[in-house]
Amino acid sequence: MANTNLTAAKKAKNDEFYTQYHDIEKEINAYLDYNPNVFKGKTILLPCDDPEWSNFTKFFAQNFERFGLKKLISTSYAVDSKLYKNGYQVTMFEESAPQYDSKKTRKKGKIFTLTRDISGDGKIDVDDLEWNYLKGDGDFNSPEVKTLRNEADIIITNPPFSLFRDFLKWIREADKQFVIIGNMNAITYKEVFPLIKENKMWLGNGFHAGNAFFATPFAEEYGEGVYYPETGLVKFRNVCWFTTIDHGKRHQPLQLMSMTDNLKFHKKLKGQEAYDRYANFDAIEVPFTDAIPSDFKGAMGVPISFLDKYNPDQFEILGSSRTLGVPISQIAEKGTYMQGGPRFYIPNDDGTYRRMYDRIVIKHKKPVK
């Protein structure tokens, strides 16, 4: 259900999802644990944000000095560019500011910056944020936000799910480091997978137990199991962090059993005499990450969720089911398989072929003994 609702949100462009403070804290701390100076002297840009409500802005502003930041920049879209604009109310924070303009507040985006102690309390934190209106509506593709992008060292945000491809391209045009949230299925995009394969982007530390909770103005539009009335939040399971910043989890080796032991002891493989093999590509099917055999020397097809445990020192990514394999139509008779995009197929005993979900193809990096 979560995947269905997230897909619906993308299509409808209901992209106002606000990340929880503790999720941001958990993710950023993973990078700091690996490298305490990762943000020192850096300018961080938080685009596609809403500084008055966003936990990204609050988190980095509150930790400005601890992280040793040089500058924090946060920008938001104009109210009139949002789907829930008719329910918008000016906050006291904005209305009481000397630069408040009743005409600009709906038409213009806003920019918040943090560089110095303006409150006079001897520290730099959220109370020292300075803000003004942007010249335009705050679209990340606008020239003024591109200028801010070019100034920044690291870009961190939860971009609109419907614009993930465009946003990633926007970041890479300027060759910036980043930490962004996206749909797990983005791994299969032709714009994304090559970056992961070439070790130019990877998954972050991740959400607790794989559950991402967001606040959204559209929360009540989601069904049971996604919308939680007691908290007012929505939960998605297929959401992850994408990043170019290293963290310790990425270098933890997977503890694996041999092929024989997996077939004998793995609860979900017990009863199988052997691992299945694909009909249209020379690799074995490994349906669960923890079922990867430690002693298999060839290619293995694994679920895309494997990337959450992927250690580049332990495994090599060869490709995916969308880029490898012979078209099933070349080796199977019509009517014996389910048609669709490029996929791997497993032969059944009755002469038909079972189409698999997207798979990533890997092999052990170090020689298997």
Side-chain angles (χ1 to χ4, degrees):
M1 178 174 284
N3 183 50
T4 300
N5 281 279
L6 183 55
T7 301
K10 288 171 62 183
K11 289 181 178 178
K13 298 190 178 181
N14 296 348
D15 286 331
E16 295 294 329
F17 293 103
Y18 297 106
T19 312
Q20 299 300 290
Y21 190 98
H22 61 82
D23 283 330
I24 298 169
E25 182 177 42
K26 175 177 177 285
E27 185 68 20
I28 298 305
N29 280 342
Y31 307 120
L32 290 164
D33 289 343
Y34 190 75
N35 177 8
N37 296 316
V38 66
F39 299 118
K40 189 174 182 179
K42 304 295 186 181
T43 294
I44 291 181
L45 172 64
L46 312 172
C48 310
D49 218 39
D50 194 334
E52 291 141 288
W53 308 105
S54 168
N55 287 313
F56 280 100
T57 300
K58 294 172 186 175
F59 175 77
F60 281 99
Q62 285 298 95
N63 290 282
F64 188 93
E65 292 188 339
R66 181 166 76 93
F67 295 167
L69 298 181
K70 176 184 177 182
K71 185 177 184 179
L72 179 65
I73 309 170
S74 181
T75 63
S76 69
Y77 288 112
V79 174
D80 281 355
S81 69
K82 299 178 180 180
L83 290 176
Y84 66 94
K85 59 187 177 182
N86 293 330
Y88 173 75
Q89 292 182 335
V90 179
T91 62
M92 289 184 63
F93 172 82
E94 180 180 355
E95 199 168 20
S96 62
Q99 66 268 38
Y100 171 68
D101 186 313
S102 59
K103 294 182 179 179
K104 288 183 178 181
T105 190
R106 297 187 68 93
K107 302 290 185 184
K108 305 296 182 182
K110 299 187 188 73
I111 177 171
F112 284 59
T113 57
L114 181 60
T115 57
R116 60 196 178 99
D117 173 21
I118 62 172
S119 65
D121 62 359
K123 59 183 179 180
I124 304 174
D125 59 18
V126 70
D127 293 328
D128 301 304
L129 283 166
E130 302 176 78
W131 75 273
N132 216 319
Y133 296 104
L134 292 165
K135 294 178 181 179
D137 65 2
D139 189 316
F140 65 85
N141 270 316
S142 66
E144 63 180 331
V145 178
K146 282 185 176 180
T147 298
L148 297 174
R149 174 199 65 182
N150 295 342
E151 177 187 351
D153 299 297
I154 304 172
I155 296 169
I156 303 175
T157 193
N158 179 4
F161 287 117
S162 63
L163 299 176
F164 184 86
R165 285 182 172 93
D166 294 334
F167 190 78
L168 180 61
K169 179 182 178 182
W170 179 82
I171 293 176
R172 287 190 49 76
E173 282 176 351
D175 194 24
K176 300 295 180 177
Q177 286 190 296
F178 60 85
V179 182
I180 61 176
I181 295 174
N183 184 344
M184 175 73 78
N185 289 329
I187 290 167
T188 64
Y189 296 170
K190 63 180 180 180
E191 301 90 347
V192 174
F193 185 75
L195 301 177
I196 293 175
K197 181 179 180 294
E198 296 165 15
N199 211 29
K200 295 179 179 179
M201 181 175 89
W202 45 87
L203 266 60
N205 184 65
F207 291 93
H208 179 68
N211 296 318
F213 288 87
F214 300 100
T216 173
F218 309 97
E220 296 183 8
E221 296 181 14
Y222 293 88
E224 183 180 353
V226 177
Y227 171 52
Y228 287 72
E230 63 273 20
T231 62
L233 303 175
V234 294
K235 180 181 79 171
F236 297 134
R237 286 193 57 81
N238 60 332
V239 176
C240 60
W241 299 83
F242 292 93
T243 186
T244 56
I245 300 178
D246 218 347
H247 56 89
K249 180 181 175 182
R250 187 167 172 258
H251 298 284
Q252 294 175 359
L254 270 174
Q255 301 301 312
L256 305 171
M257 293 190 293
S258 68
M259 180 175 283
T260 299
D261 284 346
N262 268 299
L263 291 170
K264 185 176 181 181
F265 298 113
H266 195 289
K267 292 181 179 180
K268 296 182 180 179
L269 293 183
K270 288 181 72 173
Q272 284 189 212
E273 295 182 358
Y275 281 72
D276 289 323
R277 282 187 171 273
Y278 303 123
N280 56 332
F281 185 72
D282 186 15
I284 62 170
E285 158 70 1
V286 182
F288 312 101
T289 296
D290 62 356
I292 295 172
S294 62
D295 55 350
F296 186 73
K297 297 181 180 181
M300 300 172 281
V302 295
I304 63 173
S305 57
F306 157 81
L307 288 178
D308 190 46
K309 301 288 195 301
Y310 170 51
N311 179 342
D313 305 317
Q314 186 177 14
F315 297 101
E316 177 184 356
I317 296 177
L318 304 178
S320 77
S321 53
R322 296 197 178 197
T323 59
L324 301 171
V326 176
I328 191 65
S329 59
Q330 293 184 15
I331 60 175
E333 294 182 6
K334 188 175 181 180
T336 62
Y337 58 89
M338 181 185 296
Q339 295 183 353
R343 290 289 192 278
F344 290 154
Y345 289 79
I346 293 176
N348 297 316
D349 293 338
D350 62 0
T352 61
Y353 295 84
R354 175 162 44 105
R355 188 177 70 167
M356 306 305 296
Y357 289 107
D358 284 309
R359 290 292 188 252
I360 294 171
V361 181
I362 64 169
K363 71 174 183 179
H364 287 283
K365 202 162 192 177
K366 296 179 180 179
V368 176
K369 296 179 181 181

